[in-house]
Amino acid sequence: MESIFIKKNLLKLEWKTNRALLSYWILVLVLLLIGSFIPLTVIVRNFFLIDTVLHLILYSILSFIPMILFKSRKNAFLLSIAMTPIGYLLETLHILVTEENFSAINVLANNVGVLAGIATGFTVRLKHHYSPTNKKD
């Protein structure tokens, strides 16, 4: 049953690779959740906008991994684009928990990160699709 799920829904057939990608995705999501509820942004924001760069990187990773993990383009795209409302939700929760001001720069970095992850994932999918070693199943 497990091998049927892997063969039909995931892009690569190596379970260890897929498990590693999924664990990286969960790790980044947990880091993002922890960072959303810790009020360290005043310290970090004053250090060359590293907070905004971290938003960009984390959201690009969160949208890139589903693009290369799932075989169905529709599912991969929907899971990747779902990071946008999650970003808005986490920003809203961050405001409520830490009582800081709304940061439009962070929301913009979230959305740019999602778009960058989708574009990079789409490029990797195209490269994989047109690879000469790719066999049609």
Side-chain angles (χ1 to χ4, degrees):
M1 181 74 173
E2 188 173 305
S3 63
I4 293 171
F5 174 74
I6 293 170
K7 288 181 182 177
K8 288 189 177 182
N9 294 327
L10 300 179
L11 190 60
K12 295 181 181 179
L13 297 178
E14 298 92 17
W15 173 241
K16 291 181 182 178
T17 304
N18 292 332
R19 182 177 281 174
L21 282 174
L22 189 59
S23 63
Y24 291 145
W25 188 84
I26 291 170
L27 176 69
V28 170
L29 187 64
V30 167
L31 288 174
L32 194 64
L33 287 171
I34 291 171
S36 294
F37 297 114
I38 295 176
L40 295 176
T41 57
V42 175
I43 298 167
V44 174
R45 187 175 296 138
N46 293 333
F47 188 68
F48 301 114
L49 292 174
I50 194 86
D51 179 46
T52 305
V53 173
L54 284 174
H55 279 264
L56 182 76
I57 291 170
L58 291 176
Y59 279 94
S60 62
I61 292 171
L62 282 176
S63 63
F64 171 74
I65 290 178
M67 286 297 290
I68 64 170
L69 187 63
F70 291 95
K71 194 172 193 176
S72 169
R73 288 185 303 253
K74 183 175 95 174
N75 291 342
F77 180 74
L78 288 175
L79 285 171
S80 294
I81 203 75
M83 294 304 115
T84 301
I86 289 173
Y88 287 117
L89 175 68
L90 289 178
E91 282 297 320
T92 304
L93 291 175
H94 176 74
I95 293 167
L96 294 174
V97 170
T98 63
E99 298 178 353
E100 293 181 5
N101 295 331
F102 179 76
S103 175
I105 301 260
N106 286 344
V107 172
L108 181 65
N110 295 349
N111 292 334
V112 169
V114 168
L115 290 176
I118 289 173
T120 308
F122 184 70
T123 305
V124 170
R125 285 179 75 93
L126 278 177
K127 186 175 180 175
H128 176 75
H129 179 72
Y130 289 112
S131 170
T133 59
N134 188 14
K135 298 177 184 176
K136 299 289 182 186
D137 326 72

PDB file of all heavy atoms in Angstrom, residues 91-117:
ATOM      1  N   GLU A  91       1.658  36.082  10.691  1.00  0.00           N
ATOM      2  CA  GLU A  91       1.915  37.498  10.971  1.00  0.00           C
ATOM      3  C   GLU A  91       0.843  38.059  11.912  1.00  0.00           C
ATOM      4  O   GLU A  91       1.151  38.821  12.826  1.00  0.00           O
ATOM      5  CB  GLU A  91       1.954  38.310   9.686  1.00  0.00           C
ATOM      6  CG  GLU A  91       3.238  38.183   8.916  1.00  0.00           C
ATOM      7  CD  GLU A  91       4.453  38.709   9.663  1.00  0.00           C
ATOM      8  OE1 GLU A  91       4.360  39.759  10.338  1.00  0.00           O
ATOM      9  OE2 GLU A  91       5.499  38.065   9.570  1.00  0.00           O
ATOM     10  N   THR A  92      -0.406  37.670  11.699  1.00  0.00           N
ATOM     11  CA  THR A  92      -1.492  38.124  12.573  1.00  0.00           C
ATOM     12  C   THR A  92      -1.314  37.568  13.977  1.00  0.00           C
ATOM     13  O   THR A  92      -1.474  38.300  14.966  1.00  0.00           O
ATOM     14  CB  THR A  92      -2.847  37.689  12.002  1.00  0.00           C
ATOM     15  OG1 THR A  92      -2.974  38.191  10.678  1.00  0.00           O
ATOM     16  CG2 THR A  92      -3.989  38.204  12.847  1.00  0.00           C
ATOM     17  N   LEU A  93      -0.980  36.287  14.085  1.00  0.00           N
ATOM     18  CA  LEU A  93      -0.735  35.700  15.405  1.00  0.00           C
ATOM     19  C   LEU A  93       0.474  36.340  16.080  1.00  0.00           C
ATOM     20  O   LEU A  93       0.490  36.522  17.303  1.00  0.00           O
ATOM     21  CB  LEU A  93      -0.549  34.188  15.285  1.00  0.00           C
ATOM     22  CG  LEU A  93      -1.798  33.391  14.911  1.00  0.00           C
ATOM     23  CD1 LEU A  93      -1.450  31.928  14.704  1.00  0.00           C
ATOM     24  CD2 LEU A  93      -2.882  33.556  15.961  1.00  0.00           C
ATOM     25  N   HIS A  94       1.483  36.681  15.291  1.00  0.00           N
ATOM     26  CA  HIS A  94       2.670  37.350  15.838  1.00  0.00           C
ATOM     27  C   HIS A  94       2.293  38.705  16.445  1.00  0.00           C
ATOM     28  O   HIS A  94       2.767  39.064  17.525  1.00  0.00           O
ATOM     29  CB  HIS A  94       3.710  37.536  14.729  1.00  0.00           C
ATOM     30  CG  HIS A  94       4.927  38.285  15.165  1.00  0.00           C
ATOM     31  ND1 HIS A  94       5.883  37.722  15.967  1.00  0.00           N
ATOM     32  CD2 HIS A  94       5.332  39.550  14.915  1.00  0.00           C
ATOM     33  CE1 HIS A  94       6.839  38.612  16.193  1.00  0.00           C
ATOM     34  NE2 HIS A  94       6.520  39.731  15.562  1.00  0.00           N
ATOM     35  N   ILE A  95       1.419  39.425  15.764  1.00  0.00           N
ATOM     36  CA  ILE A  95       0.969  40.719  16.277  1.00  0.00           C
ATOM     37  C   ILE A  95       0.194  40.538  17.580  1.00  0.00           C
ATOM     38  O   ILE A  95       0.380  41.294  18.545  1.00  0.00           O
ATOM     39  CB  ILE A  95       0.097  41.434  15.222  1.00  0.00           C
ATOM     40  CG1 ILE A  95       0.951  41.823  14.029  1.00  0.00           C
ATOM     41  CG2 ILE A  95      -0.590  42.651  15.807  1.00  0.00           C
ATOM     42  CD1 ILE A  95       0.140  42.250  12.833  1.00  0.00           C
ATOM     43  N   LEU A  96      -0.682  39.530  17.612  1.00  0.00           N
ATOM     44  CA  LEU A  96      -1.506  39.310  18.802  1.00  0.00           C
ATOM     45  C   LEU A  96      -0.693  38.834  20.002  1.00  0.00           C
ATOM     46  O   LEU A  96      -0.939  39.239  21.135  1.00  0.00           O
ATOM     47  CB  LEU A  96      -2.611  38.302  18.489  1.00  0.00           C
ATOM     48  CG  LEU A  96      -3.662  38.757  17.475  1.00  0.00           C
ATOM     49  CD1 LEU A  96      -4.602  37.601  17.153  1.00  0.00           C
ATOM     50  CD2 LEU A  96      -4.420  39.952  17.991  1.00  0.00           C
ATOM     51  N   VAL A  97       0.284  37.964  19.759  1.00  0.00           N
ATOM     52  CA  VAL A  97       1.050  37.383  20.863  1.00  0.00           C
ATOM     53  C   VAL A  97       2.117  38.349  21.372  1.00  0.00           C
ATOM     54  O   VAL A  97       2.262  38.559  22.579  1.00  0.00           O
ATOM     55  CB  VAL A  97       1.685  36.042  20.431  1.00  0.00           C
ATOM     56  CG1 VAL A  97       2.664  35.536  21.463  1.00  0.00           C
ATOM     57  CG2 VAL A  97       0.597  35.015  20.182  1.00  0.00           C
ATOM     58  N   THR A  98       2.879  38.940  20.462  1.00  0.00           N
ATOM     59  CA  THR A  98       4.005  39.775  20.890  1.00  0.00           C
ATOM     60  C   THR A  98       3.631  41.243  21.041  1.00  0.00           C
ATOM     61  O   THR A  98       4.447  42.021  21.517  1.00  0.00           O
ATOM     62  CB  THR A  98       5.158  39.664  19.890  1.00  0.00           C
ATOM     63  OG1 THR A  98       4.730  40.157  18.618  1.00  0.00           O
ATOM     64  CG2 THR A  98       5.650  38.244  19.780  1.00  0.00           C
ATOM     65  N   GLU A  99       2.431  41.629  20.612  1.00  0.00           N
ATOM     66  CA  GLU A  99       1.942  43.002  20.680  1.00  0.00           C
ATOM     67  C   GLU A  99       2.858  43.982  19.961  1.00  0.00           C
ATOM     68  O   GLU A  99       3.049  45.117  20.392  1.00  0.00           O
ATOM     69  CB  GLU A  99       1.718  43.428  22.131  1.00  0.00           C
ATOM     70  CG  GLU A  99       0.671  42.596  22.835  1.00  0.00           C
ATOM     71  CD  GLU A  99       0.478  42.986  24.282  1.00  0.00           C
ATOM     72  OE1 GLU A  99       1.245  43.811  24.806  1.00  0.00           O
ATOM     73  OE2 GLU A  99      -0.447  42.443  24.897  1.00  0.00           O
ATOM     74  N   GLU A 100       3.459  43.548  18.871  1.00  0.00           N
ATOM     75  CA  GLU A 100       4.275  44.427  18.039  1.00  0.00           C
ATOM     76  C   GLU A 100       3.423  44.975  16.906  1.00  0.00           C
ATOM     77  O   GLU A 100       2.293  44.554  16.695  1.00  0.00           O
ATOM     78  CB  GLU A 100       5.475  43.665  17.476  1.00  0.00           C
ATOM     79  CG  GLU A 100       6.471  43.256  18.529  1.00  0.00           C
ATOM     80  CD  GLU A 100       7.663  42.529  17.960  1.00  0.00           C
ATOM     81  OE1 GLU A 100       7.766  42.425  16.725  1.00  0.00           O
ATOM     82  OE2 GLU A 100       8.485  42.058  18.740  1.00  0.00           O
ATOM     83  N   ASN A 101       3.972  45.894  16.153  1.00  0.00           N
ATOM     84  CA  ASN A 101       3.259  46.491  15.028  1.00  0.00           C
ATOM     85  C   ASN A 101       3.276  45.572  13.822  1.00  0.00           C
ATOM     86  O   ASN A 101       4.156  44.719  13.681  1.00  0.00           O
ATOM     87  CB  ASN A 101       3.896  47.829  14.653  1.00  0.00           C
ATOM     88  CG  ASN A 101       3.743  48.856  15.754  1.00  0.00           C
ATOM     89  OD1 ASN A 101       2.788  48.816  16.518  1.00  0.00           O
ATOM     90  ND2 ASN A 101       4.691  49.764  15.832  1.00  0.00           N
ATOM     91  N   PHE A 102       2.314  45.793  12.921  1.00  0.00           N
ATOM     92  CA  PHE A 102       2.239  45.036  11.676  1.00  0.00           C
ATOM     93  C   PHE A 102       3.419  45.417  10.791  1.00  0.00           C
ATOM     94  O   PHE A 102       3.744  46.594  10.634  1.00  0.00           O
ATOM     95  CB  PHE A 102       0.917  45.353  10.963  1.00  0.00           C
ATOM     96  CG  PHE A 102       0.766  44.635   9.655  1.00  0.00           C
ATOM     97  CD1 PHE A 102       0.443  43.286   9.632  1.00  0.00           C
ATOM     98  CD2 PHE A 102       0.947  45.303   8.462  1.00  0.00           C
ATOM     99  CE1 PHE A 102       0.293  42.626   8.432  1.00  0.00           C
ATOM    100  CE2 PHE A 102       0.793  44.652   7.261  1.00  0.00           C
ATOM    101  CZ  PHE A 102       0.469  43.314   7.247  1.00  0.00           C
ATOM    102  N   SER A 103       4.070  44.422  10.199  1.00  0.00           N
ATOM    103  CA  SER A 103       5.217  44.668   9.342  1.00  0.00           C
ATOM    104  C   SER A 103       4.873  44.286   7.905  1.00  0.00           C
ATOM    105  O   SER A 103       4.842  43.107   7.555  1.00  0.00           O
ATOM    106  CB  SER A 103       6.422  43.855   9.831  1.00  0.00           C
ATOM    107  OG  SER A 103       7.494  44.003   8.937  1.00  0.00           O
ATOM    108  N   ALA A 104       4.619  45.289   7.105  1.00  0.00           N
ATOM    109  CA  ALA A 104       4.294  45.049   5.696  1.00  0.00           C
ATOM    110  C   ALA A 104       5.499  44.500   4.935  1.00  0.00           C
ATOM    111  O   ALA A 104       5.343  43.744   3.980  1.00  0.00           O
ATOM    112  CB  ALA A 104       3.805  46.331   5.044  1.00  0.00           C
ATOM    113  N   ILE A 105       6.695  44.847   5.382  1.00  0.00           N
ATOM    114  CA  ILE A 105       7.912  44.344   4.732  1.00  0.00           C
ATOM    115  C   ILE A 105       8.008  42.834   4.908  1.00  0.00           C
ATOM    116  O   ILE A 105       8.374  42.118   3.979  1.00  0.00           O
ATOM    117  CB  ILE A 105       9.163  45.026   5.337  1.00  0.00           C
ATOM    118  CG1 ILE A 105       9.076  46.508   5.169  1.00  0.00           C
ATOM    119  CG2 ILE A 105      10.424  44.423   4.796  1.00  0.00           C
ATOM    120  CD1 ILE A 105       9.831  47.106   4.052  1.00  0.00           C
ATOM    121  N   ASN A 106       7.678  42.334   6.090  1.00  0.00           N
ATOM    122  CA  ASN A 106       7.726  40.891   6.319  1.00  0.00           C
ATOM    123  C   ASN A 106       6.677  40.154   5.497  1.00  0.00           C
ATOM    124  O   ASN A 106       6.940  39.072   4.966  1.00  0.00           O
ATOM    125  CB  ASN A 106       7.536  40.565   7.801  1.00  0.00           C
ATOM    126  CG  ASN A 106       8.758  40.890   8.623  1.00  0.00           C
ATOM    127  OD1 ASN A 106       9.847  41.078   8.085  1.00  0.00           O
ATOM    128  ND2 ASN A 106       8.583  40.983   9.916  1.00  0.00           N
ATOM    129  N   VAL A 107       5.494  40.729   5.371  1.00  0.00           N
ATOM    130  CA  VAL A 107       4.448  40.108   4.547  1.00  0.00           C
ATOM    131  C   VAL A 107       4.884  40.093   3.089  1.00  0.00           C
ATOM    132  O   VAL A 107       4.702  39.097   2.390  1.00  0.00           O
ATOM    133  CB  VAL A 107       3.099  40.847   4.732  1.00  0.00           C
ATOM    134  CG1 VAL A 107       2.063  40.340   3.751  1.00  0.00           C
ATOM    135  CG2 VAL A 107       2.609  40.676   6.155  1.00  0.00           C
ATOM    136  N   LEU A 108       5.489  41.174   2.630  1.00  0.00           N
ATOM    137  CA  LEU A 108       6.007  41.223   1.262  1.00  0.00           C
ATOM    138  C   LEU A 108       7.111  40.187   1.067  1.00  0.00           C
ATOM    139  O   LEU A 108       7.151  39.492   0.046  1.00  0.00           O
ATOM    140  CB  LEU A 108       6.513  42.629   0.938  1.00  0.00           C
ATOM    141  CG  LEU A 108       7.064  42.837  -0.461  1.00  0.00           C
ATOM    142  CD1 LEU A 108       5.949  42.668  -1.488  1.00  0.00           C
ATOM    143  CD2 LEU A 108       7.709  44.197  -0.580  1.00  0.00           C
ATOM    144  N   ALA A 109       7.994  40.056   2.057  1.00  0.00           N
ATOM    145  CA  ALA A 109       9.064  39.051   1.975  1.00  0.00           C
ATOM    146  C   ALA A 109       8.482  37.639   1.964  1.00  0.00           C
ATOM    147  O   ALA A 109       8.997  36.764   1.254  1.00  0.00           O
ATOM    148  CB  ALA A 109      10.030  39.221   3.145  1.00  0.00           C
ATOM    149  N   ASN A 110       7.411  37.406   2.725  1.00  0.00           N
ATOM    150  CA  ASN A 110       6.752  36.100   2.707  1.00  0.00           C
ATOM    151  C   ASN A 110       6.248  35.771   1.302  1.00  0.00           C
ATOM    152  O   ASN A 110       6.475  34.682   0.780  1.00  0.00           O
ATOM    153  CB  ASN A 110       5.566  36.068   3.671  1.00  0.00           C
ATOM    154  CG  ASN A 110       5.957  36.217   5.113  1.00  0.00           C
ATOM    155  OD1 ASN A 110       7.127  36.148   5.457  1.00  0.00           O
ATOM    156  ND2 ASN A 110       4.982  36.448   5.957  1.00  0.00           N
ATOM    157  N   ASN A 111       5.554  36.729   0.699  1.00  0.00           N
ATOM    158  CA  ASN A 111       4.971  36.492  -0.621  1.00  0.00           C
ATOM    159  C   ASN A 111       6.035  36.365  -1.708  1.00  0.00           C
ATOM    160  O   ASN A 111       5.905  35.530  -2.600  1.00  0.00           O
ATOM    161  CB  ASN A 111       3.976  37.599  -0.971  1.00  0.00           C
ATOM    162  CG  ASN A 111       2.752  37.548  -0.095  1.00  0.00           C
ATOM    163  OD1 ASN A 111       2.399  36.488   0.427  1.00  0.00           O
ATOM    164  ND2 ASN A 111       2.114  38.669   0.096  1.00  0.00           N
ATOM    165  N   VAL A 112       7.076  37.165  -1.632  1.00  0.00           N
ATOM    166  CA  VAL A 112       8.176  37.046  -2.605  1.00  0.00           C
ATOM    167  C   VAL A 112       8.881  35.704  -2.425  1.00  0.00           C
ATOM    168  O   VAL A 112       9.264  35.061  -3.400  1.00  0.00           O
ATOM    169  CB  VAL A 112       9.157  38.234  -2.462  1.00  0.00           C
ATOM    170  CG1 VAL A 112      10.427  38.007  -3.258  1.00  0.00           C
ATOM    171  CG2 VAL A 112       8.487  39.524  -2.892  1.00  0.00           C
ATOM    172  N   GLY A 113       9.031  35.264  -1.182  1.00  0.00           N
ATOM    173  CA  GLY A 113       9.631  33.959  -0.925  1.00  0.00           C
ATOM    174  C   GLY A 113       8.801  32.826  -1.497  1.00  0.00           C
ATOM    175  O   GLY A 113       9.330  31.876  -2.074  1.00  0.00           O
ATOM    176  N   VAL A 114       7.476  32.914  -1.359  1.00  0.00           N
ATOM    177  CA  VAL A 114       6.588  31.894  -1.925  1.00  0.00           C
ATOM    178  C   VAL A 114       6.724  31.872  -3.445  1.00  0.00           C
ATOM    179  O   VAL A 114       6.857  30.807  -4.056  1.00  0.00           O
ATOM    180  CB  VAL A 114       5.121  32.133  -1.492  1.00  0.00           C
ATOM    181  CG1 VAL A 114       4.169  31.283  -2.301  1.00  0.00           C
ATOM    182  CG2 VAL A 114       4.960  31.826  -0.014  1.00  0.00           C
ATOM    183  N   LEU A 115       6.718  33.039  -4.059  1.00  0.00           N
ATOM    184  CA  LEU A 115       6.862  33.098  -5.521  1.00  0.00           C
ATOM    185  C   LEU A 115       8.226  32.578  -5.977  1.00  0.00           C
ATOM    186  O   LEU A 115       8.326  31.877  -6.989  1.00  0.00           O
ATOM    187  CB  LEU A 115       6.642  34.525  -6.015  1.00  0.00           C
ATOM    188  CG  LEU A 115       5.215  35.046  -5.914  1.00  0.00           C
ATOM    189  CD1 LEU A 115       5.152  36.505  -6.339  1.00  0.00           C
ATOM    190  CD2 LEU A 115       4.271  34.203  -6.745  1.00  0.00           C
ATOM    191  N   ALA A 116       9.267  32.901  -5.236  1.00  0.00           N
ATOM    192  CA  ALA A 116      10.605  32.408  -5.585  1.00  0.00           C
ATOM    193  C   ALA A 116      10.684  30.893  -5.441  1.00  0.00           C
ATOM    194  O   ALA A 116      11.283  30.212  -6.284  1.00  0.00           O
ATOM    195  CB  ALA A 116      11.659  33.079  -4.703  1.00  0.00           C
ATOM    196  N   GLY A 117      10.088  30.344  -4.399  1.00  0.00           N
ATOM    197  CA  GLY A 117      10.078  28.895  -4.212  1.00  0.00           C
ATOM    198  C   GLY A 117       9.305  28.182  -5.301  1.00  0.00           C
ATOM    199  O   GLY A 117       9.722  27.129  -5.793  1.00  0.00           O
TER     200      GLY A 117
END
